Every structure is written in C-alpha cells, then in structure tokens.
Amino acid sequence: MSSVSLMMSDKGSPRKDAPLGRRDPVYRKLREVHDLAEEKNIDEAITKELGEAIGIAERRELYIDKHCSIESDTLREIRIFTQQKDWTEPEKQGLCGRMGPGMMTGKVEGEFLKFLVSMQQAKHILDVGMFTGYSALAMAEAIPPEGVVITCDTEQYLEQINRKKLDESPHGQKIDIRIGHAKNTMLSLADEGQKFDFIFVDADKESYVDYYNVIMDQGLLAANGTVAFDNAFRGGASYLTEGGPTDALNRLVEKDPRVRRVLVPICDGVLLVRRAEETLV
C-alpha cells in the first residue's frame, strides 16, 4: 500500500490520512508540531520552517512517483477504482469485511515488485493478500506467458469484482485466484507440492508469523526463491513500540539461522528473505 498522490484538504494542506501520513511517523510528528505552533502562535519563522520541512517530505514522495516507470493501463484503472470506490457500502451490505484504499499496493511498490520478480526470473508466484489485484497483476506483467501468479484472499466479493478487470489485461490469464483463509490456502498448496520462486505477503499482519512458518517449514519456497513481506514498518509501530505483529515477524526472522534478510525502507517497509546458503558464496 504505497503509491502517493498527495491528498489535499479544502485548506490546501495535505490531509492527515494521506498515504505519507499513514506510514511515516516523522511526517506525522512534523505536522503535529506545525499545527501546534500555529495554534499557540509560536514564532512565525519557526512555523514557516516546519512547513518547509513538511513540504520537502511531500516533494520527495512526488519525485519518487514521477521517476518510476508508468504503470499499465489496467493497473492504473485498478488504482483509480480502488481510490475512488466507497468501500463502506459493500461492508454495510454484508458483502465483505472492512476494507479501504490504504490496503492497495500502489504504483511505486508495484514497480518495485516487478523489478524483483524480473531479476528473480520467477515463473511461479504466490501473492498472499489480493485485495483489488494490483500486486498480482503487477507481478503477472513481469513473468513469461507460461508463468502463474496464485493470489489468495478471504473475500469472495473481491474475486467477483477483480476477475473481470484482470481479464481485460493480456496478463490476466496468468492469475489464479484462491478464496479462503490464507494459511489454509498455503497449507493446501504445500500439500499439492507447489513451490514458488517469489512470495509476496501483504495480508492480515497478525498472521505474519504463521505465514512465515508455513512458508519456511512446509516447503513453499522454491530453490533460490525470495519472500517479501509488506508493511514491515507498519506505519512506524514496528520500531516505536515492541510486541506488534510485524515487529514479531522481524524479530523471528532475525533469529532464524536458515535465512538472510534485508529490510528495505521503501513505502511502509519491505522485508526481503532468502535462504542463507543461496545468498552466501
């Protein structure tokens, strides 16, 4: 969940629920201090400097977005649909659980995933957490025609709205949607003997440790494979407090002698994991 188009309030300043504000505690704190300075009539020069610091962070996000490759037409349509849809309506109708646009993997991270998948020369991909299908399609665009992306989610409603849009892409036929609890789906795939060159996990964070254990203990990761866990920072919660689910995953991986890992500070943090013997000479 990561692409940035700055969301402006009617006062002309970025809304506090904009993507950058959700995931960057430094940015949030700067805005809090700036607003407090205005409220307390602190020296105007200080308020101005704080505003400029906020502007630097915002311009950096726009610059990153600008200098990533343009997404495909179908990916752009999925992103716009996800951002504009009123997600409270299907929840009220009992069609699905609580969802929102912040759950989407966006343009920057989607392009990052395409690079990883391409460099991996992956053909068999597992996408844990489908939502509106942005990450699944981004990765499908980077694999050969015979490749497959198995994407899983708990919501039948999402399969109904996603399948038609995915099939509008020439890469849609590479995507296999599985509905059910992700852990159960992953265990079933392991029972089938399936192995994946690349696994992207962006589902319920409380289950991250379970997902990691299934991947590593049930043989889902192919030789020379890579696992990527999204939201490793979880909006700063991972490093500002202890004991949260993403921090628990990061600590578990840290202590696992089977793997090497790198925590990449892109978007809300992406933890990359590979087997130790496949990364050391």
Side-chain angles (χ1 to χ4, degrees), residues 6 11 117-118 208 224 238 241 257 270 274:
L6 293 178
K11 295 181 180 180
V117 166
S118 177
Y208 266 24
N224 293 302
S238 294
T241 59
V270 177
R274 287 175 59 86

Side-chain angles (χ1 to χ4, degrees), residues 42-262:
I42 302 296
D43 188 296
E44 184 177 337
I46 294 176
T47 305
K48 180 181 178 183
E49 291 295 325
L50 287 168
E52 289 187 4
I54 292 167
I56 290 170
E58 293 165 352
R59 287 195 295 274
R60 178 177 181 270
E61 292 299 303
L62 290 173
Y63 190 81
I64 292 170
D65 188 85
K66 177 181 178 182
H67 290 283
C68 287
S69 295
I70 297 173
E71 63 203 332
S72 67
D73 289 344
T74 307
L75 283 175
R76 184 180 66 255
E77 290 167 7
I78 290 173
R79 175 171 55 81
I80 293 172
F81 163 80
T82 306
Q83 291 170 339
Q84 295 181 347
K85 182 176 176 61
D86 180 3
W87 290 98
T88 62
E89 282 305 309
E91 181 186 1
K92 289 177 182 177
Q93 296 171 25
L95 299 174
C96 62
R98 178 175 294 182
M99 292 183 283
M103 297 170 60
M104 177 180 60
T105 300
K107 175 188 169 185
V108 173
E109 191 170 358
E111 193 65 23
F112 180 63
L113 290 174
K114 291 173 91 167
F115 265 67
L116 293 175
V117 166
S118 177
M119 291 187 293
Q120 184 82 49
Q121 296 185 322
K123 294 183 179 179
H124 205 199
I125 296 172
L126 177 60
D127 179 47
V128 183
M130 174 176 62
F131 190 38
T132 50
Y134 195 101
S135 59
L137 182 58
M139 292 186 288
E141 290 179 352
I143 61 177
E146 69 274 14
V148 63
V149 176
I150 296 180
T151 183
C152 53
D153 206 286
T154 59
E155 300 286 358
Q156 189 75 47
Y157 172 76
L158 291 176
E159 180 179 21
Q160 295 169 1
I161 65 174
N162 290 352
R163 187 73 264 175
K164 181 179 179 181
K165 176 56 65 177
L166 293 173
D167 287 345
E168 292 177 7
S169 165
H171 304 277
Q173 76 277 3
K174 305 174 191 174
I175 299 174
D176 177 3
I177 299 175
R178 305 286 181 99
I179 299 299
H181 190 280
K183 182 178 178 180
N184 294 335
T185 299
M186 294 164 73
L187 289 171
S188 295
L189 292 169
D191 288 342
E192 295 170 14
Q194 299 214 38
K195 295 182 180 295
F196 298 90
D197 306 310
F198 190 86
I199 301 175
F200 179 56
V201 183
D202 183 18
D204 55 311
K205 314 312 170 196
E206 290 74 15
S207 298
Y208 266 24
V209 167
D210 284 344
Y211 297 154
Y212 178 78
N213 287 330
V214 170
I215 290 167
M216 298 305 300
D217 297 340
Q218 301 299 319
L220 281 175
L221 189 61
N224 293 302
T226 300
V227 188
F229 286 90
D230 197 14
N231 304 112
F233 292 158
R234 209 183 189 195
S238 294
Y239 52 85
L240 295 175
T241 59
E242 294 186 357
T246 49
D247 178 55
L249 171 73
N250 297 336
R251 289 174 180 269
L252 174 65
V253 176
E254 176 187 11
K255 297 175 182 177
D256 189 343
R258 297 173 295 178
V259 300
R260 290 184 65 84
R261 82 278 184 206
V262 60

